[in-house]
Amino acid sequence: MIGLAAPARAQQSLDNLVEYQPAVTEPAAAVDQRVEAAVGEPLYLPPREIEPPPDPTDQGWDIGVQLGAAYNDNIFLSRTSPESDVIVRVTPKIGWVNGREGGEGGYLSIIYRPSGVIYLDHGSENRIDHELVVAASYEGRRTGVAYKGGFRRLGDPQSELGGLNSDRTEYANEIRLIWRPKEKIGVQVAAGQTTQDYDQAVLTDADSSYFEAGLEYAYSPKTRFLVAYRNGRTEIDRAPKQTFQQATVQMIWQPREKWKVNLRAGIESRDYVQGGDTYGVFDGRVEWAARAGTSLFVAGYRREDVSAVFAGQNMEVLGVSAGLRQKLGEHWVATLEGGYESSDYKRVAGTGAANRSDEVIFVRPALEYSVTDDFRVGAFYRYERNSSNNVAFGYDNHQLGVDLEYEF
């Protein structure tokens, strides 16, 4: 599933909220959320030829619950004074789905997930997170329209912020129109907006909006290309606005059931109050079902984000990740994921040197047992390290936990 354009700084795509998220007990920066998020990816209307047939069991109410508990040895991601705790998370889910995304006719999906987050020793950190995602589309014979939007109220620590309070509110919306004058040719136009608003006044809020026009070509039922141009602006709290232009080419290729390839690359030009810069951008993911019960993925991205910590600075971000999923018998599944992300800061407004550079790595093995088709339990370990050259940031973080999920 392809997601919304991301906010002006590294964040998990709102589209990921409608997918199952393992390790719901991980309150830390969770760099894999950023590694796996396809930033800047618009909501395309997929070709029906490669979509699976409709499943009547996917219609109607979608209700479930996730429960988890994890020991975390550095809950505030502090470099010098780590504090540990056991964190319990309770996440009910209620949703409603009608139709099939990408299929002819109408489609509507509404998913709401509140999360109660309980710290056994640091009770003042207890909170309730909220996530709401709405997706709607209509596909006719030659025209289509799609909307995806969401709201999140979150408080999990973030890698860039270190020990700073990260309570925040996020919004994202996009509407996309398509016209197919010929069988293999489509014209797309889209407009979108993302907002990130921190409660803490010392952190930088950002609001980004954009317009995009693109031309798609369906080379075959399993291969599609999209050439797109995007123009936008980012309003930044306590710093001058930035404008950007982006030209990209995307390939969605599914040659057979074992392979799924989604790659996008291009050039972005960004104008600041103190000049501008042009650089390459890309994001993509390749999945391979090597054999029955064994699947692998490789993902990566490169982009520029606005810093939430340092007003007038941007981050050049590069990330890669890989993972393996292996079935062990009828009920057991083992997974192993790892990733790397670098963030190099640069001054784009104001005075003073930008002297921060972060390198984050993580590894996460996990084991899952399916009690029934609707009920699963799992255990995980996660190690994450931020080797920042700024003495105020950087951390080591170990987490060990269990979780379960039940779908009604």
Side-chain angles (χ1 to χ4, degrees):
M1 189 178 296
I2 298 174
L4 288 172
R9 54 180 68 92
Q11 295 296 332
Q12 180 189 19
S13 168
L14 276 171
D15 184 59
N16 291 346
L17 301 180
V18 301
E19 305 292 343
Y20 168 63
Q21 298 179 44
V24 297
T25 56
E26 297 183 45
V31 68
D32 59 335
Q33 294 181 352
R34 306 196 299 169
V35 168
E36 295 180 9
V39 172
E41 211 174 4
L43 171 62
Y44 298 122
L45 301 178
R48 300 186 205 109
E49 293 88 345
I50 65 173
E51 288 294 307
D55 183 352
T57 63
D58 290 338
Q59 309 296 307
W61 291 103
D62 182 9
I63 300 175
V65 63
Q66 295 173 337
L67 304 173
Y71 170 78
N72 187 322
D73 74 343
N74 192 354
I75 60 175
F76 300 121
L77 303 183
S78 171
R79 185 169 196 159
T80 58
S81 303
E83 297 186 48
S84 63
D85 205 339
V86 173
I87 304 169
V88 178
R89 187 181 294 248
V90 182
T91 307
K93 175 185 68 172
I94 182 168
W96 189 78
V97 180
N98 186 48
R100 180 168 60 91
E101 188 172 27
E104 187 172 2
Y107 168 78
L108 175 63
S109 172
I110 303 173
I111 305 290
Y112 172 59
R113 285 192 181 97
S115 295
V117 184
I118 303 168
Y119 291 71
L120 298 190
D121 292 334
H122 298 74
S124 61
E125 300 298 323
N126 295 348
R127 67 180 190 274
I128 299 178
D129 292 341
H130 300 272
E131 299 173 338
L132 173 68
V133 175
V134 179
S137 63
Y138 180 81
E139 272 270 14
R141 183 169 178 270
R142 293 190 177 275
T143 60
V145 57
Y147 165 81
K148 186 165 289 183
F151 157 83
R152 305 201 302 176
R153 175 66 184 174
L154 303 174
D156 54 303
Q158 294 179 294
S159 179
E160 189 201 2
L161 306 187
L164 296 175
N165 187 315
S166 63
D167 290 346
R168 62 199 183 276
T169 303
E170 300 175 359
Y171 300 92
N173 296 276
E174 184 189 80
I175 187 166
R176 183 167 293 268
L177 307 175
I178 187 169
W179 173 53
R180 296 188 176 97
K182 295 186 177 181
E183 182 180 358
K184 294 188 174 183
I185 302 295
V187 178
Q188 297 193 18
V189 293
Q193 168 273 336
T194 59
T195 299
Q196 185 152 306
D197 184 5
Y198 286 95
D199 290 1
Q200 196 164 353
V202 298
L203 296 177
T204 301
D205 302 330
D207 183 279
S208 185
S209 58
Y210 61 88
F211 173 81
E212 182 179 284
L215 180 66
E216 74 167 37
Y217 174 64
Y219 176 77
S220 72
K222 296 182 178 181
T223 306
R224 185 166 61 104
F225 296 91
L226 179 69
V227 179
Y229 169 78
R230 177 176 294 193
N231 184 286
R233 61 186 291 168
T234 301
E235 300 286 347
I236 305 166
D237 184 36
R238 301 184 298 116
K241 74 175 185 296
Q242 301 175 16
T243 59
F244 58 90
Q245 301 82 40
Q246 186 183 95
T248 58
V249 177
Q250 182 172 18
M251 179 183 72
I252 301 174
W253 181 43
Q254 190 173 340
R256 53 182 62 91
E257 291 183 0
K258 289 187 175 183
W259 287 93
K260 293 182 180 180
V261 179
N262 192 333
L263 302 175
R264 187 175 68 101
I267 297 293
E268 182 170 290
S269 176
R270 190 172 286 255
D271 297 319
Y272 322 112
V273 69
Q274 297 177 182
D277 197 4
T278 300
Y279 43 86
V281 294
F282 70 84
D283 57 71
R285 182 180 177 97
V286 178
E287 300 178 15
W288 177 40
R291 59 187 181 186
T294 304
S295 59
L296 303 93
F297 81 87
V298 177
Y301 58 80
R302 187 179 190 275
R303 63 176 183 267
E304 183 162 318
D305 290 336
V306 177
S307 172
V309 176
F310 304 112
Q313 295 188 29
N314 280 13
M315 304 178 295
E316 296 178 350
V317 183
L318 172 68
V320 294
S321 68
L324 167 68
R325 179 179 176 88
Q326 177 65 56
K327 289 195 68 174
L328 305 172
E330 185 177 353
H331 297 283
W332 292 93
V333 175
T335 60
L336 177 63
E337 298 179 11
Y340 166 85
E341 182 181 86
S342 66
S343 301
D344 294 317
Y345 291 69
K346 64 181 182 181
R347 173 68 62 182
V348 298
T351 60
N355 57 5
R356 180 178 174 183
S357 178
D358 290 3
E359 291 187 345
V360 179
I361 61 170
F362 83 94
V363 61
R364 184 184 184 278
L367 189 63
E368 174 186 313
Y369 179 78
S370 297
V371 181
T372 67
D373 291 342
D374 299 321
F375 179 40
R376 53 159 293 277
V377 296
F380 71 91
Y381 166 74
R382 178 188 176 89
Y383 172 70
E384 180 175 314
R385 178 184 179 88
N386 181 1
S387 302
S388 178
N389 67 347
N390 188 311
V391 296
F393 299 93
Y395 55 85
D396 280 279
N397 183 221
H398 299 263
Q399 299 180 49
L400 181 64
V402 295
D403 63 351
L404 62 86
E405 179 188 37
Y406 185 78
E407 293 285 341
F408 294 94

